[in-house]
Each structure stands twice: as structure tokens, then as C-alpha cells.
Amino acid sequence: MVSHKVLKFGDDGYKLPAQARAPRSVRKKRIYEKKIPGDDKMCAIDLLATVAGSLLLEGESSVNACVVVVQNTVKKEFPAEDNPVKALPYSESPRLFDNGQCGFSSVITNPNHLLVGDKVEKEVQGFSSLGVNGDVKPDIVASIGSNSSTEVGACGNGSPNGSRDDVNLFSRNDDDENFSGYIRPRMNRPVPRIGDRRIRKILASRHWKGDAKPWYCSKRSYYLHHHQRSYPIKKRKYFDSISDSNSDDYRLQGKTHKGSRTISSMKSRNASFVSRDHHVRLRIKSFRVPELFIEIPETATVGSLKRMVMEAVTTILGDGLRVGLMVQGKKVRDDSKTLLQTGISEENNHLDSLGFCLEPGLETTPQPLSSSYLSEHACEDLTLCRDNALDSSHQPAAPSPADSFGKLGTTDHSRALIPVVSAAMLAPRPPNRKFKRTEQQLAAQRRIRRPFSVTEVEALVQAVEHLGTGRWRDVKVRAFEDADHRTYVDLKDKWKTLVHTARISPQQRRGEPVPQELLDRVLKAHAYWSQHLMHQLQTEPPSSQVEALI
DNA sequence: ATTAGGG
DNA sequence: CCCTAAT
């Protein structure tokens, strides 16, 4: 009987459980959601190589060269007075191993700088669409600096509107953050990432107000996934004014491009900001491969082990990646948002929790495993491993997370081992807890407040009159299909407050006054549906009743 | 994924 | 709005 060694690279793999939740991008989209047009595809490896190349470019001194990675090319822009930096030959692949260390604590280890100009947004989008990945969701995070060792030096002054908003973020040293992940056979089931449940518990035990907000937040990840995060605080007033000045009746408005109006009005208003040639300098310290679990027979050769590890990494990188961006612990999904809006160009302290991550490009077309970058050797070894696993009866000495090991080889699809990376390791380091989060930071975590306009209230009331108070999903579809920022939870909450508002005296009400007529309807509908909970289940009341209700 | 309800 | 718990 061949015993297996379970090798685990990295030793603090579980230190960040709260961040272990995998992206939900995989999940089925809500019906009322709009589909995002597919992006171009490109070779993930090439991408990584490109990124790596870019990152390896700089030495400590040359801080001002601007290296922008655009798909398969590396575009360099050099400030007049700076020494150009040699570009890494494109053919040179990133270093996957950290010399002297077991495994690959970092794909790219040299301190380096990635300076991004205005066009960052576009560039990032270029990345965001690589191949795809069937059922595994590795994440690789490139943390930008770290709290403990990050030196945030502002080239400009601190004033938000100062003449120089440039921010230079860089880390002094390459402090070693461990990584973890698993290698597991490709199975139907997603990998046993760090248990959701456990994570939730941990999350639950953590009051977000007082603690770092995990960037994967159970529920929130659901709708924030699709309903973009709010704007930076600083811009809040500005946005509020916009939405306030426009009543949004999405139902009547029909399908329009989301936010088109907002964007356009924003442009004109924000012109003074945007026009200025402010740049944000970011330095991606390194991309790390998270914790990795490998099960391999004792009789396997060192060479095969090495290849296995290589295979794992390669698979992670080659199975389709896209770039994710995290700001203040929150994933920024809206690619159309500007850095300014996202807060990246704001004060320095916003950058301490900025992170890039490579995640599976699940939005795009799935690619058959055969097209991945598995080498023949790797496949051979993996096959060998699989066979051995079969021989050794079943069962994996591998405890916990690797419960799938036992099934190694039970499926034909398990020909290749798919490395699974726990998101935990990849997450950017949580904000430094030493310093209390500022109100601003806290607020930035929230979605922007968007008071319901009278028109929206009207739409909501009408929908509830017809559908009742227990079918918010339907209400959403029916009356707010195009209001992407209004989730059914929001609608439910709004109804709650409407009912409350209707019950209190007009003097106690705040905000834009809701016509009494509407409030009356709210109470009526509320009363009606309170009594007809039975019917509310599926059917809509006869129009006659509804009208009577109205 | 949705719903319900407290914070 | 946020967050959870329970569906």
C-alpha cells in the first residue's frame, strides 16, 4: 500500500478565513440581471507573463516609469526626466518559484512598481476576460503593499483637490505572506474551499463596524456582485444631488442603458477633476499563489512532485483568469467606474487595502481541460498519482479540506488534478486594525444612499398593490427591472419604511415628502395583503379587488 | 436565491 | 442600508 504525503505549502493558510469566500461570479445570475457582453479572450499565461514582466521591470530607483500592461503587450511610458527602464522580454516568463523557498510564495518576488496612468481602467478591462474555468475557482491575489510594511508616500499633498493628487504607494520589503491552496482532482463538485459555514460563523462573530470588513461578505457578495458598490464618500454629496434631481421611474423609463444619464451628467460636472492630469501610482508588490495542498505517493519522485506543483500553478494560471480589484476590502465590479469614483485616487489611506487579484474568468466561455496548459509530463504524473490513489484502497490520509482526494480517479474527468486555491490566501491583507477605521472608510463600504424618488415610490406602491408584500423578487422584476441599484431587498426595506412613514405624523417625516395619497395607498395595500397572506402566495388578486384597494 | 426581520 | 437566518 502506498502511503501518500500530503504536502501543504504555507503555514498560515487559515489565518484569513473570513476572506475565504470564493467569488460568486459563478452563480446563476438573477433573472432581472442584465448580461454582460463577453470580453475578448486571451491566454492567461501570456497575461501573467506580461504582468510579471511588467512587475519585474523596475528597480528600486526608477519609480516614475509608467508601465501599463495591455493584453499581450507591455506599453511603456516614460516621464521625460526619468530613466527608461528596460522591458522584460516578453518571452521571459514569470518566475513561478521563489528560490530557496518551498513552493512558490510568490510568483513575482522582486519589489517592483506598476505605475498606472489614467488609462488604468481600460487596461484592467483588458485583463478581465481570459479563458474560463469550469468548476474550479482559484484566486490569486496580488496584494499591493501591506499594512505593516506599506509605506504610503504621497507625492502630492493631502488635499483632495490639491494640485497634486498623485499617490505613490510602495512597500519597503517583501514581507512573507504565506499562501495555501489545494490540488484536487477535477470533480463535479467545487473544491472544498474553506467551509462556507465556518466562514460565515466567523464573519458573524465579527462586528463589521469594529473590525476589518472581509472582502467577501456572505450575502452582500450576492447583490453587490451585480449591483455595484457605491461611490467614494467624497463624491457622495455630488451623486446624491444628481439622483435627487432626477426622479427615477424605471418602469416608465423602460430599458435604458444603466447609468447613462448619471454618467453623462457626471462627466460635465466632474470635468474639472477629470481633465486634470492626475495619476495614481500603484505598485503591485507581488502575486502570490495561495496555500496549496498536494497529495502524492511516497514513492513518487521529487521530479514528479516538482512537476505537480508546477502543474498546479500552471493550471491555476492557465485556466482562465481575469483581474479583480479590491478597494478598502471591497471588490469593485463596476469596470466603468473611474479610479476617482472608486476612491483609488483619494487619500492615501485608501490605498492600504487596495488589492488586485486574479480570479477565474468564469464569465466567459468554459474551456475544456484539454486546452489548458497542462504539460504531457504533468498529465502523466497526475495520472500516476491518480492510479496510486486508487490502489491504496480509498482514503486519503488527507484530512479535512481534501475530502475529495478520496475520489481521486473515480471519474474519467479527474485525469488532471486541478489546483484549487483558497481565496483566503489570496485576499489582500485586511486593513490595519491598529487604526480605527474612519467614518469615511466605513461609509465607503456601504452602498451609496439613494433616496427613493416619489416616482419610484409610486411604482413600488403599485407593484405591491398587485403582488403583495411577500414577493419582492417579482416586485423588482415588475417595477424596477431596470433599476440596477434597487435590489429586492431594497424594495422590501423601502416598503417597510413607507409603512412606517405612513403611520407617523407628517411632522416626523423626513426627506422628500411622499404624497399623502401614496402613503394612504401604502396603508391600504399593507392592510389588504396582511389579510390575504394566503392568496399572496401565487396569485394576484382580481383586478377588481386591486382597484378597490386602490 | 429569496424572504423576513432586526440593527 | 446592512446583516442574518431560514427557506
Side-chain angles (χ1 to χ4, degrees):
Chain A
M1 168 149 111
V2 179
S3 59
H4 289 70
K5 292 283 187 191
V6 174
L7 308 179
K8 176 185 171 188
F9 297 93
D11 54 30
D12 65 348
Y14 290 99
K15 282 191 176 176
L16 303 170
Q19 302 170 333
R21 197 147 175 79
R24 299 268 188 123
S25 52
V26 209
R27 306 202 173 184
K28 194 179 80 183
K29 298 203 152 197
R30 261 26 8 62
I31 293 175
Y32 57 77
E33 277 173 16
K34 299 194 182 87
K35 284 161 196 169
I36 301 166
D39 300 2
D40 301 326
K41 288 158 191 148
M42 69 176 281
C43 169
I45 283 294
D46 286 349
L47 166 65
L48 189 82
T50 304
V51 173
S54 306
L55 296 177
L56 288 171
L57 284 183
E58 296 195 65
E60 287 298 310
S61 56
S62 53
V63 180
N64 290 318
C66 183
V67 180
V68 179
V69 180
V70 184
Q71 296 209 339
N72 288 329
T73 64
V74 175
K75 181 172 71 186
K76 290 171 294 171
E77 293 174 17
F78 301 110
E81 74 279 22
D82 286 308
N83 302 323
V85 184
K86 283 169 202 155
L88 191 70
Y90 189 61
S91 57
E92 196 166 320
S93 47
R95 280 166 46 199
L96 292 177
F97 291 86
D98 214 354
N99 290 334
Q101 289 191 17
C102 184
F104 25 83
S105 64
S106 56
V107 176
I108 300 159
T109 54
N110 289 353
N112 35 59
H113 298 128
L114 173 57
L115 302 178
V116 193
D118 291 299
K119 298 171 187 163
V120 101
E121 185 180 325
K122 187 179 290 177
E123 318 305 345
V124 169
Q125 285 184 326
F127 280 38
S128 69
S129 52
L130 292 163
V132 180
N133 186 342
D135 52 26
V136 182
K137 328 156 181 142
D139 282 337
I140 298 176
V141 160
S143 54
I144 296 191
S146 57
N147 299 300
S148 56
S149 62
T150 295
E151 198 172 306
V152 180
C155 294
N157 52 32
S159 99
N161 292 316
S163 53
R164 294 198 58 184
D165 285 356
D166 292 11
V167 175
N168 182 13
L169 175 80
F170 56 96
S171 299
R172 286 196 224 89
N173 48 348
D174 209 32
D175 55 358
D176 211 15
E177 191 167 356
N178 290 296
F179 49 88
S180 66
Y182 310 109
I183 285 188
R184 69 176 276 276
R186 192 185 195 82
M187 309 289 291
N188 298 324
R189 248 184 344 167
V191 187
R193 245 161 273 115
I194 295 178
D196 255 25
R197 230 165 261 169
R198 202 164 98 205
I199 295 167
R200 290 206 189 192
K201 243 180 189 166
I202 293 170
L203 285 179
S205 66
R206 206 188 253 192
H207 195 63
W208 74 275
K209 283 177 181 173
D211 205 340
K213 187 100 176 176
W215 57 285
Y216 283 120
C217 222
S218 57
K219 286 295 174 159
R220 179 199 305 227
S221 60
Y222 154 50
Y223 59 97
L224 285 188
H225 244 23
H226 311 294
H227 301 283
Q228 326 310 6
R229 191 112 269 290
S230 55
Y231 315 102
I233 311 282
K234 297 231 161 174
K235 304 291 173 239
R236 192 196 262 185
K237 191 189 298 175
Y238 166 72
F239 279 101
D240 275 347
S241 65
I242 291 178
S243 50
D244 283 342
S245 60
N246 292 280
S247 48
D248 310 291
D249 187 337
Y250 298 90
R251 187 189 40 184
L252 300 177
Q253 210 168 299
K255 309 221 172 192
T256 60
H257 281 301
K258 5 177 170 179
S260 58
R261 184 192 58 234
T262 302
I263 290 174
S264 56
S265 46
M266 186 177 80
K267 266 181 190 165
S268 54
R269 291 236 207 162
N270 244 358
S272 61
F273 280 87
V274 179
S275 64
R276 246 179 282 190
D277 198 23
H278 292 166
H279 288 210
V280 180
R281 289 179 180 176
L282 306 178
R283 170 183 168 186
I284 294 179
K285 194 170 75 176
S286 69
F287 280 90
R288 294 170 188 281
V289 175
E291 185 178 53
L292 197 57
F293 280 109
I294 293 178
E295 185 187 62
I296 188 171
E298 282 183 327
T299 54
T301 65
V302 168
S304 67
L305 171 59
K306 287 180 178 176
R307 281 193 293 272
M308 214 165 148
V309 174
M310 184 62 192
E311 142 71 8
V313 179
T314 305
T315 304
I316 291 175
L317 302 178
D319 246 6
L321 298 171
R322 60 179 185 174
V323 168
L325 170 63
M326 281 146 288
V327 178
Q328 293 170 47
K330 287 295 172 183
K331 278 201 158 189
V332 177
R333 301 207 140 248
D334 189 347
D335 288 347
S336 64
K337 220 180 276 180
T338 67
L339 299 186
L340 209 55
Q341 288 170 30
T342 312
I344 294 177
S345 61
E346 296 289 316
E347 264 110 87
N348 318 330
N349 57 4
H350 283 202
L351 295 176
D352 67 354
S353 56
L354 183 60
F356 284 101
C357 75
L358 299 183
E359 47 188 38
L362 295 166
E363 301 289 349
T364 42
T365 319
Q367 292 202 320
L369 183 59
S370 58
S371 67
S372 65
Y373 302 85
L374 299 178
S375 70
E376 280 307 313
H377 287 307
C379 285
E380 285 169 16
D381 282 327
L382 294 170
T383 301
L384 172 65
C385 173
R386 180 195 66 189
D387 292 337
N388 285 333
L390 280 177
D391 290 347
S392 56
S393 63
H394 32 256
Q395 280 21 118
S400 68
D403 67 322
S404 58
F405 279 12
K407 295 184 179 175
L408 218 78
T410 53
T411 349
D412 285 332
H413 311 325
S414 64
R415 196 167 124 65
L417 292 177
I418 302 302
V420 170
V421 177
S422 80
M425 300 300 84
L426 308 171
R429 181 165 303 162
N432 198 340
R433 252 146 281 188
K434 261 186 189 172
F435 305 110
K436 210 178 79 184
R437 294 190 87 122
T438 65
E439 278 308 308
Q440 194 176 58
Q441 284 177 311
L442 285 173
Q445 305 259 355
R446 299 184 139 225
R447 285 192 296 156
I448 189 169
R449 187 165 177 264
R450 279 161 148 176
F452 276 67
S453 63
V454 173
T455 349
E456 285 181 297
V457 171
E458 150 79 47
L460 176 58
V461 171
Q462 186 169 333
V464 174
E465 283 171 342
H466 285 84
L467 303 171
T469 55
R471 302 165 62 191
W472 303 109
R473 218 303 284 279
D474 294 326
V475 171
K476 161 71 182 176
V477 173
R478 177 176 179 132
F480 293 81
E481 173 81 67
D482 299 299
D484 293 342
H485 57 290
R486 303 295 191 201
T487 68
Y488 44 71
V489 174
D490 292 332
L491 302 179
K492 184 259 308 176
D493 286 343
K494 180 54 183 176
W495 183 260
K496 181 173 63 178
T497 64
L498 274 176
V499 171
H500 177 258
T501 301
R503 287 170 169 166
I504 62 179
S505 70
Q507 295 75 46
Q508 302 179 68
R509 297 169 193 166
R510 292 184 297 179
E512 187 180 11
V514 178
Q516 187 58 45
E517 178 261 341
L518 278 178
L519 293 177
D520 291 341
R521 286 169 65 188
V522 167
L523 289 181
K524 244 175 219 176
H526 187 263
Y528 176 89
W529 287 109
S530 293
Q531 287 188 280
H532 300 307
L533 290 179
M534 319 285 263
H535 313 300
Q536 152 181 343
L537 294 181
Q538 281 85 19
T539 33
E540 207 168 310
S543 57
S544 59
Q545 279 188 57
V546 172
E547 285 175 37
L549 186 157
I550 299 173

